[in-house]
Amino acid sequence: MNPEARRLVDRLWMFCNFLRDDGVSSLEYLEQLSFLVFLKMADETEKLNAQKSNPDEHKHVLPDTDEWRGRGWPELIDLTGDPLEEAYTTLLNDLGKKSADDQDTALSLIFNRARNRIENAANLRRLIVDLIDKERWMDAQSDIKGAAYEALIARSAEDTKSGAGQYFTPRVLIESIVRCMRPTPYDTITDPACGTGGFLIAAHDQIMREYGEHLPDEDLDRLRTEAFWGTELVPGTARLAAMNMLLHSIGDPDGRPLIDVEDALAKPPSRHASIVLANPPFGRKSSISVTNGEGKAEREDVAYRRPDFWLEQPTTNKHFNFLQHIGTLLTDKGRAAVILPDNVLYEGGVGAKIRKELLLNYNLHTMLRLPDGIFHAGGVKANVLFFDAVPGDRAEDEPPRTTQLWVYDLRTGNRFTLKQKPLKPEHLAEFETVAFGEGDLDRSNRKAGERFQAFDSDKLLADETVNLDIGLIDPAESEAGANQSASALTLAVAKDLRDALAEIEALAEELGVELPDISRG
């Protein structure tokens, strides 16, 4: 990391640790940081615009009305004590409202249902005056600010109490996948489970590194405002993604939001992408929280029935639902890379049908078997599936669109941890070379090796289970669902219970309902 970015991260994270004594989690701190940095950026933009001689070039980030004159950062910087806390709370509430023409913007997304979590006014002033106000957030070193913000997200993922880790995919893995996908300035790129926006930002950075110096302004503008979009179910995470993207120069504060806050699986896509990158959230079932007639929170498993899904039979397995959804998101020659757990490879019933459809109607050309210990969610065994859409409908008597599935085993003999032995770029270098080479997307010159094997789709389809739990040097490294240990199942159930409790607490907080203290049993 750039030394300047590291300096900024250390300063900001030190204050995060300081706020823990006030009961502010790292995820809540990131949220408050997003609000305040946005307001500081808006103030810097206003000051830069005021220096322009042409009034038509004056661009307002906050609402351009008389009642908003002098509001935002200027009204916070000189206040202390209760007046500061009151002004900040009021400001967040006002910014969360839609514009007069009822249009959603990045501004309304970031501040939707925003609340002040820093109730100690002295600490709030320190954050405003001593940290954020001393930095310039709109200067030429925006890459430093973006890198610093993303590093803070990575650190917050280590906070198990906040649950931030479930939204975080290791940056090393993201960047390797993006290099394999080789995005261009003319691609449209989406992530239907975008979390804090890591895949979208990495793809944008890769394009700018390879093509940025030679792109005309219209292409640069398209990359900034149109080429990328994501979907995120959790509003708090979506606001972090929106802020993360703005700090990486993707999107406009007063432009349409590039993150849709909704259930990506609920309906067919309204637009399609030439590249889909995704790591759908871990956990087997799709579920939502609802409020019944008595005002109580309940969880409901969701089996999505969509006319564009591959199978008429609905399933509550969210990984199978996401796999189908990603297939429908692709343009005719689109390509996808998606991280999925092992159960997708072998689970019976609807799973076998999903895998059959994938092999028959898409080109599932590559699978990377990932090692243990690289995700914050413990005990996860996962894989990256790379597949392409093929134009036209396939007739029943035509051969499968997948001719060979190449599998790279990074799992056997490799053990990683998040801190002592983290996954590094060099661990993925051989995979990138043997599977995708150093040229274009032509994969015709692949050669088998100890960790890299090819499997004919005809043989895979001949087995009615369509088992894709294959390619490991040591098959014992693969644990089928039927052989999962009791401890692993207990951990999975415990996680579901923690998630349910967190959703109930969040809903109760929004409704203003005080829950009884159950910590003593």
mmCIF file of all heavy atoms in Angstrom, residues 265 284-287 301-306 309-324 343 347-351 353-354:
data_model
loop_
_atom_site.group_PDB
_atom_site.id
_atom_site.type_symbol
_atom_site.label_atom_id
_atom_site.label_comp_id
_atom_site.label_asym_id
_atom_site.label_seq_id
_atom_site.Cartn_x
_atom_site.Cartn_y
_atom_site.Cartn_z
ATOM 1 N N LEU A 265 -32.578 -11.404 -6.590
ATOM 2 C CA LEU A 265 -33.229 -12.622 -7.078
ATOM 3 C C LEU A 265 -34.726 -12.457 -7.294
ATOM 4 O O LEU A 265 -35.367 -13.339 -7.866
ATOM 5 C CB LEU A 265 -32.987 -13.766 -6.091
ATOM 6 C CG LEU A 265 -31.538 -14.125 -5.792
ATOM 7 C CD1 LEU A 265 -31.465 -15.181 -4.695
ATOM 8 C CD2 LEU A 265 -30.836 -14.606 -7.045
ATOM 9 N N ARG A 284 -26.976 -21.532 3.094
ATOM 10 C CA ARG A 284 -27.625 -22.364 2.090
ATOM 11 C C ARG A 284 -28.978 -21.835 1.655
ATOM 12 O O ARG A 284 -29.382 -22.017 0.515
ATOM 13 C CB ARG A 284 -27.787 -23.786 2.629
ATOM 14 C CG ARG A 284 -26.453 -24.496 2.858
ATOM 15 C CD ARG A 284 -26.632 -25.734 3.693
ATOM 16 N NE ARG A 284 -27.432 -26.737 3.015
ATOM 17 C CZ ARG A 284 -26.930 -27.654 2.184
ATOM 18 N NH1 ARG A 284 -25.646 -27.663 1.920
ATOM 19 N NH2 ARG A 284 -27.713 -28.547 1.614
ATOM 20 N N LYS A 285 -29.725 -21.197 2.567
ATOM 21 C CA LYS A 285 -31.097 -20.851 2.227
ATOM 22 C C LYS A 285 -31.258 -19.362 1.964
ATOM 23 O O LYS A 285 -30.641 -18.518 2.607
ATOM 24 C CB LYS A 285 -32.063 -21.274 3.343
ATOM 25 C CG LYS A 285 -32.290 -22.788 3.396
ATOM 26 C CD LYS A 285 -33.403 -23.126 4.355
ATOM 27 C CE LYS A 285 -33.725 -24.624 4.334
ATOM 28 N NZ LYS A 285 -34.852 -24.960 5.233
ATOM 29 N N SER A 286 -32.134 -19.050 0.984
ATOM 30 C CA SER A 286 -32.547 -17.675 0.770
ATOM 31 C C SER A 286 -33.635 -17.369 1.791
ATOM 32 O O SER A 286 -34.586 -18.130 1.948
ATOM 33 C CB SER A 286 -33.107 -17.499 -0.646
ATOM 34 O OG SER A 286 -32.141 -17.820 -1.610
ATOM 35 N N SER A 287 -33.506 -16.261 2.494
ATOM 36 C CA SER A 287 -34.526 -15.913 3.465
ATOM 37 C C SER A 287 -34.628 -14.405 3.573
ATOM 38 O O SER A 287 -33.707 -13.671 3.240
ATOM 39 C CB SER A 287 -34.213 -16.507 4.843
ATOM 40 O OG SER A 287 -33.006 -15.985 5.341
ATOM 41 N N ASP A 301 -38.311 -18.500 4.468
ATOM 42 C CA ASP A 301 -37.497 -19.040 3.384
ATOM 43 C C ASP A 301 -38.165 -18.701 2.071
ATOM 44 O O ASP A 301 -39.386 -18.751 1.943
ATOM 45 C CB ASP A 301 -37.348 -20.557 3.530
ATOM 46 C CG ASP A 301 -36.526 -20.931 4.754
ATOM 47 O OD1 ASP A 301 -35.704 -20.107 5.162
ATOM 48 O OD2 ASP A 301 -36.730 -22.030 5.284
ATOM 49 N N VAL A 302 -37.350 -18.356 1.069
ATOM 50 C CA VAL A 302 -37.885 -17.901 -0.210
ATOM 51 C C VAL A 302 -37.497 -18.887 -1.305
ATOM 52 O O VAL A 302 -36.319 -19.194 -1.486
ATOM 53 C CB VAL A 302 -37.343 -16.497 -0.560
ATOM 54 C CG1 VAL A 302 -37.906 -16.044 -1.889
ATOM 55 C CG2 VAL A 302 -37.694 -15.506 0.535
ATOM 56 N N ALA A 303 -38.485 -19.384 -2.012
ATOM 57 C CA ALA A 303 -38.251 -20.190 -3.206
ATOM 58 C C ALA A 303 -38.685 -19.339 -4.392
ATOM 59 O O ALA A 303 -39.872 -19.089 -4.582
ATOM 60 C CB ALA A 303 -39.042 -21.498 -3.144
ATOM 61 N N TYR A 304 -37.724 -18.846 -5.156
ATOM 62 C CA TYR A 304 -38.018 -17.893 -6.227
ATOM 63 C C TYR A 304 -38.554 -18.632 -7.450
ATOM 64 O O TYR A 304 -37.917 -19.547 -7.968
ATOM 65 C CB TYR A 304 -36.760 -17.106 -6.595
ATOM 66 C CG TYR A 304 -36.243 -16.251 -5.464
ATOM 67 C CD1 TYR A 304 -35.308 -16.744 -4.561
ATOM 68 C CD2 TYR A 304 -36.688 -14.942 -5.293
ATOM 69 C CE1 TYR A 304 -34.830 -15.968 -3.518
ATOM 70 C CE2 TYR A 304 -36.219 -14.159 -4.263
ATOM 71 C CZ TYR A 304 -35.292 -14.668 -3.373
ATOM 72 O OH TYR A 304 -34.820 -13.897 -2.342
ATOM 73 N N ARG A 305 -39.711 -18.211 -7.909
ATOM 74 C CA ARG A 305 -40.296 -18.775 -9.128
ATOM 75 C C ARG A 305 -40.244 -17.692 -10.208
ATOM 76 O O ARG A 305 -41.007 -16.736 -10.178
ATOM 77 C CB ARG A 305 -41.734 -19.217 -8.874
ATOM 78 C CG ARG A 305 -42.345 -20.036 -10.012
ATOM 79 C CD ARG A 305 -43.785 -20.395 -9.711
ATOM 80 N NE ARG A 305 -43.903 -21.211 -8.519
ATOM 81 C CZ ARG A 305 -43.761 -22.534 -8.519
ATOM 82 N NH1 ARG A 305 -43.488 -23.165 -9.654
ATOM 83 N NH2 ARG A 305 -43.894 -23.208 -7.397
ATOM 84 N N ARG A 306 -39.307 -17.857 -11.140
ATOM 85 C CA ARG A 306 -39.121 -16.849 -12.178
ATOM 86 C C ARG A 306 -39.195 -17.487 -13.557
ATOM 87 O O ARG A 306 -38.637 -18.574 -13.778
ATOM 88 C CB ARG A 306 -37.757 -16.159 -12.002
ATOM 89 C CG ARG A 306 -37.787 -15.045 -10.979
ATOM 90 C CD ARG A 306 -36.457 -14.388 -10.726
ATOM 91 N NE ARG A 306 -35.578 -14.272 -11.864
ATOM 92 C CZ ARG A 306 -34.367 -13.720 -11.823
ATOM 93 N NH1 ARG A 306 -33.916 -13.241 -10.668
ATOM 94 N NH2 ARG A 306 -33.602 -13.655 -12.885
ATOM 95 N N PHE A 309 -35.743 -18.357 -15.117
ATOM 96 C CA PHE A 309 -34.843 -19.327 -14.492
ATOM 97 C C PHE A 309 -34.788 -20.609 -15.317
ATOM 98 O O PHE A 309 -35.708 -20.935 -16.056
ATOM 99 C CB PHE A 309 -35.291 -19.630 -13.061
ATOM 100 C CG PHE A 309 -34.679 -18.703 -12.028
ATOM 101 C CD1 PHE A 309 -33.892 -17.626 -12.399
ATOM 102 C CD2 PHE A 309 -34.899 -18.916 -10.671
ATOM 103 C CE1 PHE A 309 -33.330 -16.777 -11.457
ATOM 104 C CE2 PHE A 309 -34.339 -18.076 -9.714
ATOM 105 C CZ PHE A 309 -33.554 -17.013 -10.112
ATOM 106 N N TRP A 310 -33.702 -21.327 -15.182
ATOM 107 C CA TRP A 310 -33.476 -22.518 -15.995
ATOM 108 C C TRP A 310 -34.498 -23.598 -15.704
ATOM 109 O O TRP A 310 -34.884 -24.353 -16.591
ATOM 110 C CB TRP A 310 -32.068 -23.082 -15.737
ATOM 111 C CG TRP A 310 -30.977 -22.089 -15.949
ATOM 112 C CD1 TRP A 310 -31.057 -20.899 -16.613
ATOM 113 C CD2 TRP A 310 -29.628 -22.179 -15.470
ATOM 114 N NE1 TRP A 310 -29.854 -20.241 -16.587
ATOM 115 C CE2 TRP A 310 -28.953 -21.007 -15.894
ATOM 116 C CE3 TRP A 310 -28.930 -23.131 -14.733
ATOM 117 C CZ2 TRP A 310 -27.612 -20.775 -15.602
ATOM 118 C CZ3 TRP A 310 -27.597 -22.903 -14.445
ATOM 119 C CH2 TRP A 310 -26.947 -21.737 -14.878
ATOM 120 N N LEU A 311 -34.916 -23.707 -14.442
ATOM 121 C CA LEU A 311 -35.811 -24.781 -14.038
ATOM 122 C C LEU A 311 -37.142 -24.220 -13.566
ATOM 123 O O LEU A 311 -37.199 -23.152 -12.955
ATOM 124 C CB LEU A 311 -35.179 -25.603 -12.905
ATOM 125 C CG LEU A 311 -33.796 -26.201 -13.175
ATOM 126 C CD1 LEU A 311 -33.336 -26.977 -11.955
ATOM 127 C CD2 LEU A 311 -33.805 -27.084 -14.404
ATOM 128 N N GLU A 312 -38.209 -24.942 -13.855
ATOM 129 C CA GLU A 312 -39.513 -24.537 -13.355
ATOM 130 C C GLU A 312 -39.638 -24.806 -11.868
ATOM 131 O O GLU A 312 -40.378 -24.130 -11.165
ATOM 132 C CB GLU A 312 -40.618 -25.290 -14.113
ATOM 133 C CG GLU A 312 -40.724 -24.910 -15.584
ATOM 134 C CD GLU A 312 -41.876 -25.622 -16.268
ATOM 135 O OE1 GLU A 312 -42.614 -26.349 -15.557
ATOM 136 O OE2 GLU A 312 -42.034 -25.454 -17.479
ATOM 137 N N GLN A 313 -38.906 -25.797 -11.385
ATOM 138 C CA GLN A 313 -38.978 -26.176 -9.976
ATOM 139 C C GLN A 313 -38.237 -25.154 -9.117
ATOM 140 O O GLN A 313 -37.030 -24.982 -9.251
ATOM 141 C CB GLN A 313 -38.362 -27.563 -9.782
ATOM 142 C CG GLN A 313 -38.305 -28.034 -8.341
ATOM 143 C CD GLN A 313 -37.588 -29.367 -8.214
ATOM 144 O OE1 GLN A 313 -37.185 -29.958 -9.208
ATOM 145 N NE2 GLN A 313 -37.435 -29.827 -6.978
ATOM 146 N N PRO A 314 -38.932 -24.448 -8.222
ATOM 147 C CA PRO A 314 -38.244 -23.452 -7.381
ATOM 148 C C PRO A 314 -37.446 -24.115 -6.269
ATOM 149 O O PRO A 314 -37.719 -25.251 -5.866
ATOM 150 C CB PRO A 314 -39.395 -22.621 -6.815
ATOM 151 C CG PRO A 314 -40.553 -23.575 -6.774
ATOM 152 C CD PRO A 314 -40.383 -24.497 -7.949
ATOM 153 N N THR A 315 -36.451 -23.421 -5.781
ATOM 154 C CA THR A 315 -35.635 -23.912 -4.682
ATOM 155 C C THR A 315 -35.328 -22.775 -3.720
ATOM 156 O O THR A 315 -35.251 -21.611 -4.129
ATOM 157 C CB THR A 315 -34.316 -24.527 -5.194
ATOM 158 O OG1 THR A 315 -33.487 -24.870 -4.074
ATOM 159 C CG2 THR A 315 -33.546 -23.545 -6.066
ATOM 160 N N THR A 316 -35.143 -23.103 -2.433
ATOM 161 C CA THR A 316 -34.744 -22.094 -1.458
ATOM 162 C C THR A 316 -33.233 -22.001 -1.333
ATOM 163 O O THR A 316 -32.736 -21.161 -0.583
ATOM 164 C CB THR A 316 -35.334 -22.415 -0.063
ATOM 165 O OG1 THR A 316 -34.861 -23.695 0.360
ATOM 166 C CG2 THR A 316 -36.852 -22.408 -0.095
ATOM 167 N N ASN A 317 -32.488 -22.861 -2.060
ATOM 168 C CA ASN A 317 -31.028 -22.797 -2.023
ATOM 169 C C ASN A 317 -30.566 -21.558 -2.778
ATOM 170 O O ASN A 317 -30.675 -21.483 -4.003
ATOM 171 C CB ASN A 317 -30.428 -24.056 -2.645
ATOM 172 C CG ASN A 317 -28.910 -24.104 -2.500
ATOM 173 O OD1 ASN A 317 -28.210 -23.161 -2.849
ATOM 174 N ND2 ASN A 317 -28.404 -25.205 -1.995
ATOM 175 N N LYS A 318 -30.054 -20.577 -2.041
ATOM 176 C CA LYS A 318 -29.764 -19.298 -2.680
ATOM 177 C C LYS A 318 -28.592 -19.371 -3.653
ATOM 178 O O LYS A 318 -28.513 -18.587 -4.596
ATOM 179 C CB LYS A 318 -29.522 -18.203 -1.649
ATOM 180 C CG LYS A 318 -28.314 -18.354 -0.763
ATOM 181 C CD LYS A 318 -28.283 -17.199 0.225
ATOM 182 C CE LYS A 318 -27.236 -17.405 1.296
ATOM 183 N NZ LYS A 318 -27.327 -16.358 2.336
ATOM 184 N N HIS A 319 -27.681 -20.344 -3.450
ATOM 185 C CA HIS A 319 -26.575 -20.458 -4.399
ATOM 186 C C HIS A 319 -27.061 -20.923 -5.765
ATOM 187 O O HIS A 319 -26.615 -20.426 -6.798
ATOM 188 C CB HIS A 319 -25.515 -21.404 -3.849
ATOM 189 C CG HIS A 319 -24.915 -20.932 -2.569
ATOM 190 N ND1 HIS A 319 -25.019 -21.628 -1.389
ATOM 191 C CD2 HIS A 319 -24.229 -19.793 -2.271
ATOM 192 C CE1 HIS A 319 -24.414 -20.951 -0.432
ATOM 193 N NE2 HIS A 319 -23.933 -19.842 -0.936
ATOM 194 N N PHE A 320 -28.006 -21.877 -5.785
ATOM 195 C CA PHE A 320 -28.576 -22.302 -7.063
ATOM 196 C C PHE A 320 -29.393 -21.174 -7.693
ATOM 197 O O PHE A 320 -29.413 -21.000 -8.911
ATOM 198 C CB PHE A 320 -29.450 -23.548 -6.864
ATOM 199 C CG PHE A 320 -28.669 -24.779 -6.506
ATOM 200 C CD1 PHE A 320 -29.133 -25.659 -5.546
ATOM 201 C CD2 PHE A 320 -27.463 -25.056 -7.122
ATOM 202 C CE1 PHE A 320 -28.406 -26.796 -5.207
ATOM 203 C CE2 PHE A 320 -26.724 -26.181 -6.787
ATOM 204 C CZ PHE A 320 -27.206 -27.057 -5.832
ATOM 205 N N ASN A 321 -30.066 -20.393 -6.853
ATOM 206 C CA ASN A 321 -30.826 -19.261 -7.374
ATOM 207 C C ASN A 321 -29.901 -18.193 -7.950
ATOM 208 O O ASN A 321 -30.171 -17.623 -9.008
ATOM 209 C CB ASN A 321 -31.702 -18.664 -6.270
ATOM 210 C CG ASN A 321 -32.904 -19.527 -5.955
ATOM 211 O OD1 ASN A 321 -33.476 -20.160 -6.842
ATOM 212 N ND2 ASN A 321 -33.303 -19.582 -4.687
ATOM 213 N N PHE A 322 -28.802 -17.905 -7.248
ATOM 214 C CA PHE A 322 -27.856 -16.923 -7.766
ATOM 215 C C PHE A 322 -27.200 -17.415 -9.058
ATOM 216 O O PHE A 322 -26.972 -16.636 -9.981
ATOM 217 C CB PHE A 322 -26.786 -16.597 -6.722
ATOM 218 C CG PHE A 322 -27.081 -15.359 -5.928
ATOM 219 C CD1 PHE A 322 -27.483 -15.444 -4.596
ATOM 220 C CD2 PHE A 322 -26.977 -14.095 -6.501
ATOM 221 C CE1 PHE A 322 -27.764 -14.307 -3.861
ATOM 222 C CE2 PHE A 322 -27.260 -12.953 -5.779
ATOM 223 C CZ PHE A 322 -27.657 -13.055 -4.454
ATOM 224 N N LEU A 323 -26.892 -18.711 -9.129
ATOM 225 C CA LEU A 323 -26.279 -19.248 -10.340
ATOM 226 C C LEU A 323 -27.212 -19.074 -11.535
ATOM 227 O O LEU A 323 -26.782 -18.654 -12.628
ATOM 228 C CB LEU A 323 -25.936 -20.720 -10.132
ATOM 229 C CG LEU A 323 -25.077 -21.403 -11.183
ATOM 230 C CD1 LEU A 323 -23.801 -20.624 -11.468
ATOM 231 C CD2 LEU A 323 -24.735 -22.830 -10.745
ATOM 232 N N GLN A 324 -28.487 -19.356 -11.345
ATOM 233 C CA GLN A 324 -29.453 -19.150 -12.428
ATOM 234 C C GLN A 324 -29.580 -17.665 -12.777
ATOM 235 O O GLN A 324 -29.619 -17.295 -13.956
ATOM 236 C CB GLN A 324 -30.820 -19.694 -12.017
ATOM 237 C CG GLN A 324 -30.879 -21.203 -11.853
ATOM 238 C CD GLN A 324 -32.268 -21.671 -11.457
ATOM 239 O OE1 GLN A 324 -33.102 -21.955 -12.316
ATOM 240 N NE2 GLN A 324 -32.516 -21.735 -10.154
ATOM 241 N N ASN A 343 -21.054 -27.398 -1.854
ATOM 242 C CA ASN A 343 -22.330 -28.109 -1.982
ATOM 243 C C ASN A 343 -22.984 -27.903 -3.342
ATOM 244 O O ASN A 343 -23.753 -28.752 -3.802
ATOM 245 C CB ASN A 343 -23.297 -27.690 -0.863
ATOM 246 C CG ASN A 343 -23.878 -26.296 -1.062
ATOM 247 O OD1 ASN A 343 -23.193 -25.308 -0.835
ATOM 248 N ND2 ASN A 343 -25.116 -26.223 -1.490
ATOM 249 N N GLU A 347 -24.587 -31.438 -4.507
ATOM 250 C CA GLU A 347 -25.902 -31.610 -3.893
ATOM 251 C C GLU A 347 -26.895 -32.180 -4.891
ATOM 252 O O GLU A 347 -26.953 -31.753 -6.052
ATOM 253 C CB GLU A 347 -26.390 -30.277 -3.335
ATOM 254 C CG GLU A 347 -27.624 -30.404 -2.469
ATOM 255 C CD GLU A 347 -27.908 -29.126 -1.703
ATOM 256 O OE1 GLU A 347 -27.067 -28.727 -0.871
ATOM 257 O OE2 GLU A 347 -28.968 -28.517 -1.952
ATOM 258 N N GLY A 348 -27.702 -33.147 -4.440
ATOM 259 C CA GLY A 348 -28.619 -33.849 -5.335
ATOM 260 C C GLY A 348 -29.906 -33.095 -5.608
ATOM 261 O O GLY A 348 -30.055 -31.920 -5.273
ATOM 262 N N GLY A 349 -30.854 -33.782 -6.224
ATOM 263 C CA GLY A 349 -32.150 -33.188 -6.525
ATOM 264 C C GLY A 349 -32.038 -32.061 -7.539
ATOM 265 O O GLY A 349 -31.531 -32.244 -8.650
ATOM 266 N N VAL A 350 -32.483 -30.876 -7.138
ATOM 267 C CA VAL A 350 -32.452 -29.729 -8.046
ATOM 268 C C VAL A 350 -31.021 -29.360 -8.413
ATOM 269 O O VAL A 350 -30.755 -28.838 -9.503
ATOM 270 C CB VAL A 350 -33.192 -28.526 -7.415
ATOM 271 C CG1 VAL A 350 -32.417 -27.955 -6.246
ATOM 272 C CG2 VAL A 350 -33.447 -27.439 -8.448
ATOM 273 N N GLY A 351 -30.062 -29.681 -7.522
ATOM 274 C CA GLY A 351 -28.661 -29.371 -7.807
ATOM 275 C C GLY A 351 -28.161 -30.068 -9.057
ATOM 276 O O GLY A 351 -27.453 -29.478 -9.878
ATOM 277 N N LYS A 353 -29.912 -31.036 -11.577
ATOM 278 C CA LYS A 353 -30.556 -30.418 -12.743
ATOM 279 C C LYS A 353 -29.894 -29.085 -13.102
ATOM 280 O O LYS A 353 -29.728 -28.764 -14.279
ATOM 281 C CB LYS A 353 -32.045 -30.224 -12.466
ATOM 282 C CG LYS A 353 -32.799 -31.530 -12.260
ATOM 283 C CD LYS A 353 -34.269 -31.273 -11.933
ATOM 284 C CE LYS A 353 -35.020 -32.581 -11.705
ATOM 285 N NZ LYS A 353 -36.438 -32.349 -11.352
ATOM 286 N N ILE A 354 -29.538 -28.314 -12.077
ATOM 287 C CA ILE A 354 -28.866 -27.033 -12.313
ATOM 288 C C ILE A 354 -27.526 -27.260 -12.998
ATOM 289 O O ILE A 354 -27.171 -26.584 -13.982
ATOM 290 C CB ILE A 354 -28.662 -26.281 -10.979
ATOM 291 C CG1 ILE A 354 -29.997 -25.798 -10.410
ATOM 292 C CG2 ILE A 354 -27.685 -25.112 -11.153
ATOM 293 C CD1 ILE A 354 -30.595 -24.621 -11.121
#
